[in-house]
């Protein structure tokens, strides 16, 4: 994501000057910087999917290095010809963002499209197998056995064992043998414990659990072994009907384990131990499980005489609608800037879109330059194609997480609060300076701040992991805001603060839909009014 941007020179968009200076940054350099930063994380990820320096990690590293080299050329450190520049702008983003795009397609259930993209981008066996391994992992988490079988590489015994477990082919799980990484051996042992318990070979399962627990004393014992041992111990306790023992084994919940799986373990322990909470636990497992796995949990509910609940899939409609609105607003901005001459001010010329909607400080002569609605309307103006695409992408990625946890109105309120506070802190911190502030990232960071407030109150391992990820990501954004010219630090900080405040305020309000609908309705009215008033200034800037 790239943030709200500010321009000390009004005559040039965002104050960016020519290529190769430190006073500004072209949109190509901005894209390359994002590619380099993302490429570092993507390379570490791909090294876990494919061996050594095979095609998958090699292409990711080469793409990041290519982008870094051409970015250095932007500032005159090295020389790069036009061919290198085009390669960096086309191929580097393609191979750095490909794993993220493929994961997104798989999570959306578009496995055929993801498989086709893998064949187009990667040409060697190890390269394709690494990405297919990723797609298989997503399919297994979704409970989609058919998709997992279609995408699975030929030589993937651990994934094969997990597929057999998903299909409850327990005898076939026990047939799988593995010679490979130590962590994979631990995961296979966990699958075999589960198979032995399902086949009612409890003594053999107990022996394997004891072996896993003894390995925890090794100096090189890692988090994957700890998770495998905890889950295996909890499943053994559940098979014996010992609910309290299973609960103790799962506290705190192991990171990376989906909630429905934890509920199912506790539900089995309660059912075998004849505890009254069994029905409630199976209900929670059913509600949290992916659709392909729900029929199994429904059988337990019916056996206990419980009604199978209706589960409505909550889709992040407001997130997608907000991202689409930003894109449409950018298209309108291009139309306006292409048909109306720049607006003259005493200290330079402004593009028409900025003269009508940007948040302005120290720019005299602009109609309604200090109007209240500019604290919102600046979110609907962007500097270039990369700016809008990055903001729309991050809003989609983070917004859907928050909207699924909360509701549509909460998302829009967080966006509005982040945008307002981004403008307000910019006004306070940069009083007396010349600032032209545009971009939706104050609102996007408002959503991130609200999500952070939400997960901070959570007690699960997933909440703790998301807290760490959000904190690291926000720290990176703050660092880039300080290091990169013409990127608004205070617009970003204000966005996080505004969203964070909304997140905690929302937690203190009643949880019904009435509050959510009221917050969403008020947010829509505020944004529509701000954009309408901004558009009403267009006749006043016409030559």
């Amino acid at each position: 994501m790239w943030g709200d941007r500010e321009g000390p020179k009004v005559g040039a968009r965002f104050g960016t000057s020519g290529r190769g200076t430190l006073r500004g940054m072209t949109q190509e350099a901005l894209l390359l910087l994002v590619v380099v930063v993302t490429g570092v994380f993507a390379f570490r990820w791909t090294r876990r999917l494919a061996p050594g320096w095979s095609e998958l990690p090699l292409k990711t590293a080469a793409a990041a290095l290519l982008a870094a080299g051409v970015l250095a050329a932007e500032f005159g450190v090295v020389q790069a010809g036009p061919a290198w520049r085009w390669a960096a702008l086309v191929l580097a983003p393609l191979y750095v963002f490909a794993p993220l795009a493929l994961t997104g397609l798989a999570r959306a259930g578009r496995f055929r499209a993801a498989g086709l993209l893998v064949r187009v981008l990667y040409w060697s066996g190890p390269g394709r197998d690494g990405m297919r391994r990723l797609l298989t992992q997503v399919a297994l988490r979704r409970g989609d056995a058919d998709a997992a079988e279609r995408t699975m590489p030929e030589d993937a015994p651990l994934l094969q064992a997990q597929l057999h477990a998903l299909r409850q082919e327990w005898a076939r799980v026990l047939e799988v043998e593995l010679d490979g990484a130590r962590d994979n051996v631990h995961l296979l042992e966990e699958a075999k414990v589960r198979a032995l318990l399902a086949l009612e070979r409890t003594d053999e399962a107990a022996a394997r659990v004891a072996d896993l627990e003894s390995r925890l004393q090794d100096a090189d014992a890692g988090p994957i072994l700890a998770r495998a041992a905890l889950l295996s111990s909890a499943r053994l306790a559940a098979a014996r009907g010992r609910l309290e023992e299973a609960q103790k084994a799962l506290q705190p919940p192991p990171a990376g384990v989906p909630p429905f799986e934890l509920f199912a373990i506790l539900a089995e322990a309660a059912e075998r131990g004849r505890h009254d909470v069994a029905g409630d636990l199976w209900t929670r497992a059913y509600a949290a499980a992916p659709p392909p796995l729900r029929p199994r949990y429904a059988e337990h509910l019916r056996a206990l005489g419980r009604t199978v609940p209706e589960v409505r899939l909550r889709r992040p409609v407001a997130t997608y609608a907000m991202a689409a609105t930003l894109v449409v607003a950018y298209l309108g901005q291009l139309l306006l800037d292409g048909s109306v001459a720049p607006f003259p001010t005493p200290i330079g010329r402004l593009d028409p879109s900025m003269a009508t909607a940007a948040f302005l400080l120290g720019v005299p002569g602009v109609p309604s330059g200090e109007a209240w609605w500019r604290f919102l309307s600046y979110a609907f103006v962007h500097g270039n194609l990369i700016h809008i695409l990055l903001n729309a992408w991050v809003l989609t990625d983070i917004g859907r997480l928050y909207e699924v946890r909360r509701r549509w109105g909460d998302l829009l309120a967080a966006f509005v609060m982040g945008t307002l506070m981004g403008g307000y802190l910019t006004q306070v911190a940069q009083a007396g300076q010349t600032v032209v502030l545009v971009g939706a990232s104050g609102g996007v960071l408002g959503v991130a701040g609200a999500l952070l407030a939400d997960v901070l109150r959570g007690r699960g391992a997933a909440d703790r992991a998301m807290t760490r990820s959000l904190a690291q990501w926000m720290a990176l954004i703050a660092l880039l805001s300080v290091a990169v010219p013409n990127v608004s630090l205070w617009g970003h900080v204000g966005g996080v603060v505004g969203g964070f405040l909304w997140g905690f305020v929302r937690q203190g309000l009643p949880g019904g839909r009435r509050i959510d609908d009221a917050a969403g309705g008020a947010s829509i009215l505020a944004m529509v009014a701000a954009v309408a008033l901004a558009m009403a200034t267009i006749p006043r800037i016409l030559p």
Side-chain angles (χ1 to χ4, degrees):
M1 169 209 175
W2 204 256
D4 294 342
R5 308 199 60 192
E6 60 185 51
K9 285 178 60 181
V10 181
R13 182 172 292 181
F14 306 118
T16 58
S17 54
R19 176 174 158 219
T21 70
L22 293 176
R23 287 163 40 202
M25 180 171 287
T26 64
Q27 58 180 311
E28 291 85 2
L30 175 60
L31 173 61
L32 292 173
L33 179 62
V34 174
V35 169
V36 172
V37 173
T38 308
V40 173
F41 295 99
F43 172 69
R44 295 174 59 189
W45 185 23
T46 53
R47 284 291 298 269
R48 295 197 294 266
L49 295 172
W53 287 94
S54 59
E55 182 190 15
L56 178 56
L58 182 61
K59 280 187 172 178
T60 306
L65 290 173
L66 175 61
V70 176
L71 179 61
E74 286 282 319
F75 296 102
V77 179
V78 297
Q79 297 295 319
W84 286 105
R85 288 177 53 80
W86 279 108
L89 291 172
V90 175
L91 295 179
L94 185 64
Y95 281 101
V96 165
F97 293 116
L100 300 176
L102 288 166
T103 302
L105 286 172
R107 286 176 176 171
R110 310 297 183 185
F111 289 97
R112 295 188 185 277
L116 176 61
L117 190 58
V118 168
R119 291 193 294 272
V120 170
L121 294 178
Y122 301 99
W123 311 319
S124 70
R128 289 181 174 178
D129 285 350
M131 292 312 303
R132 292 177 66 190
R133 189 172 288 110
L134 172 64
L135 298 180
T136 304
Q137 291 171 355
V138 176
L140 290 171
R141 280 185 168 270
R142 286 171 50 89
D144 192 337
D146 292 339
E149 185 174 30
R150 288 196 307 269
T151 59
M152 187 178 299
E154 291 185 4
D155 185 20
L158 175 60
L159 294 176
Q160 192 68 55
Q162 292 172 334
L163 176 59
H164 291 322
L166 179 61
R167 288 177 166 165
Q168 297 184 324
E169 300 169 344
W170 304 117
R172 299 189 67 180
V173 173
L174 297 176
E175 294 173 358
V176 176
E177 297 297 334
L178 177 63
D179 294 324
R182 188 178 183 88
D183 286 341
N184 287 349
V185 171
H186 303 326
L187 294 174
L188 180 59
E189 281 297 298
E190 177 195 337
K192 290 190 173 184
V193 168
R194 188 178 177 188
L196 289 168
L197 292 173
L199 295 172
E200 298 185 354
R201 294 161 60 176
T202 307
D203 291 341
E204 294 177 63
R208 288 181 179 268
V209 170
D211 181 59
L212 282 171
E213 292 176 340
S214 67
R215 296 181 198 176
L216 289 174
Q217 308 305 319
D218 296 344
D220 59 346
I224 293 181
L225 170 59
R227 187 181 70 179
L230 286 175
L231 283 177
S232 298
S233 177
R235 287 197 172 97
L236 178 61
R240 291 170 170 171
R242 300 172 182 174
L243 177 58
E244 292 183 359
E245 187 177 330
Q247 289 175 321
K248 183 178 179 180
L250 297 177
Q251 291 298 326
V257 182
F260 74 86
E261 191 171 336
L262 301 178
F263 287 134
I265 294 172
L266 296 176
E268 182 181 356
E271 185 175 0
R272 289 178 178 270
R274 301 185 181 279
H275 292 275
D276 294 337
V277 296
D280 293 335
L281 288 169
W282 281 121
T283 298
R284 298 183 71 176
Y286 178 90
L293 297 182
R294 286 179 188 155
R296 299 179 187 176
Y297 300 147
E299 292 179 5
H300 290 276
L301 288 171
R302 294 190 186 99
L304 293 171
R306 299 291 291 266
T307 301
V308 178
E310 180 182 359
V311 178
R312 294 183 179 179
L313 181 63
R314 185 181 295 175
R315 298 185 182 277
V317 177
T319 298
Y320 299 143
M322 194 68 226
T325 299
L326 295 177
V327 173
V328 171
Y330 180 68
L331 296 177
Q333 173 188 342
L334 294 179
L335 180 62
L336 177 62
D337 289 346
S339 57
V340 178
F343 181 76
T345 74
I347 56 176
R349 300 172 69 85
L350 278 180
D351 287 340
S353 59
M354 297 185 185
T356 58
F359 179 81
L360 303 177
L361 285 178
V363 185
V366 179
S368 303
E370 298 181 356
W372 69 266
W373 42 262
R374 288 184 181 271
F375 284 85
L376 280 177
S377 62
Y378 78 90
F380 298 90
V381 183
H382 287 81
N384 49 56
L385 181 62
I386 296 172
H387 194 199
I388 176 60
L389 290 180
L390 287 173
N391 276 334
W393 166 40
V394 179
L395 175 60
T396 301
D397 195 40
I398 291 182
R400 62 184 176 82
L401 297 176
Y402 183 61
E403 187 177 356
V404 168
R405 293 176 71 101
R406 290 289 178 172
R407 290 190 178 90
W408 69 276
D410 296 324
L411 174 107
L412 296 183
F415 183 90
V416 167
M417 285 292 294
T419 304
L420 290 171
M421 190 60 73
Y424 175 72
L425 280 192
T426 299
Q427 183 184 55
V428 171
Q430 297 186 257
Q433 301 180 28
T434 299
V435 175
V436 180
L437 185 66
V438 298
S441 57
V444 174
L445 281 163
V447 176
L451 178 60
L452 179 61
D454 226 40
V455 298
L456 280 174
R457 298 287 294 270
R459 298 180 180 179
D463 290 327
R464 293 196 300 274
M466 189 176 294
T467 299
R468 289 193 297 270
S469 297
L470 283 171
Q472 292 170 359
W473 178 72
M474 289 177 180
L476 176 61
I477 293 295
L479 177 63
L480 293 176
S481 300
V482 172
V484 179
N486 305 323
V487 175
S488 176
L489 171 64
W490 295 109
H492 287 162
V493 172
V496 173
V497 170
F500 199 72
L501 289 175
W502 167 254
F504 276 115
V505 167
R506 184 64 186 90
Q507 292 174 31
L509 296 174
R513 296 184 61 90
R514 184 174 299 178
I515 297 293
D516 174 71
D517 292 344
S523 300
I524 291 175
L525 286 176
M527 289 188 287
V528 169
V531 172
L533 290 170
M535 294 176 64
T537 64
I538 293 177
R540 300 166 63 187
I541 67 169
L542 293 176

